[in-house]
Amino acid sequence: MSKKIKRRDFMITSAAGLTIAASQTAKTRTHLAPTMLIQSRVKPVVVSSANGNQFKNGGNVTAVQKAFTMITQGADVLDSVIAGVNIVELDPLDDSVGYGGLPNAEGVVQLDSSCMHGPRKRAGAVGALEGVRTPSLVAQSVMDNTDHHLIVGRGAQDFARGMGFKIEDDLNTDNSRRQWLEWKRRIDPSHYLDPKKRAEAGHRAALEMLAEGLLREENLHGTINCDGINSKGEICGVTTTSGLAWKIPGRLGDSPILGAGLYVDGAVGAAGSTGRGEANLYNLCSFVIIEEMRRGVHPKDAGMEVLKRIKANTVEKRLLKPDGNPNFSINFYILNAKGEYAGVSMYQSKYAMCNENGPQTLATEPLLPGKPSE
């Protein structure tokens, strides 16, 4: 007669059997294949506009070099890219950004900047800021110390003063002041034409100075954008500029506007721009680029899509070349969460990049052949 097994004994016996079976299965699995998958880390990279690998402010490293070195040493990504663009902001030789940036129509240097921190999902920006050489640091202070994303004009200067930034009476250098006086000399001496004639005269004078080599092409819409990613996949970005040369006082372009001059989504990527700010503002291109990449589109293809949108939305005759294409430059610098990057532009241009192989200046992928007349 068979012996009855109590329920408690049955459970103990069964558990022991399962443990032995699991152990044997684990040994077999260990013998056949790894027991865990290790996710590969992202390769750090920094991308920026071309001036990010040009100006050194008397030192021996460029903006992208500085940012990449700090990132690979473990510094916060936003701190790193801002430290990079500070080099350009402080360099008087770059008259499109920061100290010595070309002034507005009244001879006053007004600066704009925005920054976004992907992991922290925070942002800050300033516009029409006067008297502070490094607007990117003031934008970061807005992000860190306020509940706001954008402070402009006199309020931005008052905020910067309250945060301990040095306020200077004039950010012009001898070069920027000389360029402004030359521009002013070439238009009507009274500087009070009717609006249409004044705009035409000012633009014509700028093109003459460009043709004579007094200005670099990027000066008309000069800016620096810089974006970076570390080995953890953390993404941040910053854009800073002195804006359109000889602009109407108080004019803001795309640089301080989130979604235009800069947009970062820590799970997707970063995108920033230089060039005609009004075209970027109208189309909110950086935001659109991020949304394209969210769908899985490669950075280059995402950038090309927004360039096509800009082209389709540019219909005013004054903004078109005789062939019907846009008569202005606009460039995008794009980085996704995989560490893939691209530089794209309406017409052939350049951008900067730094990875483990060092800093490089690369050709952008253009949408159209040729170049604009401005």
Side-chain angles (χ1 to χ4, degrees):
M1 184 175 178
S2 62
K3 184 178 180 181
K4 291 184 178 181
I5 301 176
K6 295 181 180 179
R7 181 176 184 276
R8 179 174 178 275
D9 294 335
F10 173 77
M11 294 296 291
I12 292 173
T13 303
S14 299
L18 288 172
T19 300
I20 294 170
S23 176
Q24 292 174 342
T25 303
K27 290 179 181 179
T28 303
R29 187 185 298 117
T30 301
H31 178 71
L32 295 177
T35 58
M36 61 183 294
L37 295 176
I38 301 175
Q39 185 175 359
S40 61
R41 296 166 74 86
V42 177
K43 289 187 177 181
V45 66
V46 174
V47 294
S48 85
S49 46
N51 48 354
N53 194 36
Q54 180 179 0
F55 296 96
K56 299 181 180 181
N57 191 33
N60 55 14
V61 296
T62 61
V64 291
Q65 284 177 283
K66 178 71 172 180
F68 182 78
T69 299
M70 288 181 63
I71 287 172
T72 54
Q73 290 177 346
D76 177 81
V77 178
L78 185 58
D79 289 343
S80 302
V81 294
I82 287 180
V85 301
N86 287 163
I87 293 173
V88 183
E89 288 176 320
L90 294 170
D91 194 331
L93 297 179
D94 188 330
D95 51 16
S96 72
V97 178
Y99 174 57
L102 295 180
N104 64 21
E106 302 303 325
V108 179
V109 178
Q110 291 183 322
L111 306 175
D112 311 321
S113 182
S114 62
C115 64
M116 296 188 74
H117 198 291
R120 295 166 64 189
K121 299 188 182 300
R122 294 173 67 178
V126 289
L129 172 65
E130 298 177 14
V132 182
R133 299 188 181 198
T134 53
S136 62
L137 288 173
V138 184
Q140 186 179 30
S141 189
V142 170
M143 181 190 80
D144 288 337
N145 295 290
T146 80
D147 185 42
H148 310 307
H149 287 331
L150 176 62
I151 304 177
V152 303
R154 178 62 181 272
Q157 187 185 75
D158 290 343
F159 170 79
R161 182 182 290 107
M163 290 293 104
F165 288 90
K166 179 181 179 181
I167 308 299
E168 301 181 57
D169 291 335
D170 186 6
L171 293 185
N172 277 295
T173 58
D174 290 342
N175 174 67
S176 64
R177 185 176 293 105
R178 183 172 60 251
Q179 298 283 27
W180 171 70
L181 288 172
E182 177 65 17
W183 172 80
K184 193 169 184 179
R185 182 188 67 79
R186 292 181 183 225
I187 64 176
D188 188 90
S190 69
H191 211 57
Y192 285 101
L193 304 170
D194 69 71
K196 183 177 180 181
K197 289 182 179 179
R198 180 176 179 178
E200 290 176 350
H203 186 63
R204 184 169 60 252
L207 294 183
E208 289 172 358
M209 293 173 69
L210 182 64
E212 293 173 21
L214 297 175
L215 295 176
R216 293 178 294 122
E217 183 175 348
E218 57 267 31
N219 286 147
L220 293 181
H221 302 281
T223 305
I224 182 171
N225 164 254
C226 188
D227 310 305
I229 186 170
N230 64 12
S231 61
K232 300 176 185 177
E234 296 174 334
I235 308 168
C236 298
V238 61
T239 299
T240 181
T241 186
S242 58
L244 179 64
W246 310 303
K247 59 196 174 185
I248 294 173
R251 175 263 188 187
L252 292 180
D254 62 315
S255 295
I257 306 302
L258 306 181
L262 175 71
Y263 200 72
V264 176
D265 185 315
V268 180
S273 178
T274 63
R276 180 173 166 78
E278 280 71 17
N280 200 4
L281 280 168
Y282 187 85
N283 295 278
L284 283 178
C285 300
S286 292
F287 176 78
V288 175
I289 288 172
I290 296 300
E291 293 309 297
E292 287 291 315
M293 292 197 297
R294 194 186 305 279
R295 299 191 300 108
V297 176
H298 187 275
K300 186 192 83 171
D301 297 324
M304 284 297 178
E305 182 62 31
V306 301
L307 289 170
K308 292 175 185 176
R309 181 176 300 202
I310 292 172
K311 180 177 181 295
N313 286 337
T314 303
V315 297
E316 291 187 69
K317 186 176 181 180
R318 67 186 180 88
L319 297 174
L320 298 173
K321 295 168 61 177
D323 64 4
N325 287 320
N327 192 24
F328 54 80
S329 300
I330 189 163
N331 311 318
F332 296 100
Y333 317 99
I334 312 165
L335 176 67
N336 70 13
K338 299 177 183 178
E340 298 170 329
Y341 59 88
V344 302
S345 53
M346 188 66 71
Y347 299 98
Q348 185 68 70
S349 186
K350 295 178 180 179
Y351 74 108
M353 182 277 298
C354 189
N355 59 15
E356 71 270 20
N357 298 319
Q360 302 176 51
T361 299
L362 306 170
T364 60
E365 186 76 23
L367 177 68
L368 300 173
K371 61 181 182 179
S373 62
E374 68 168 43

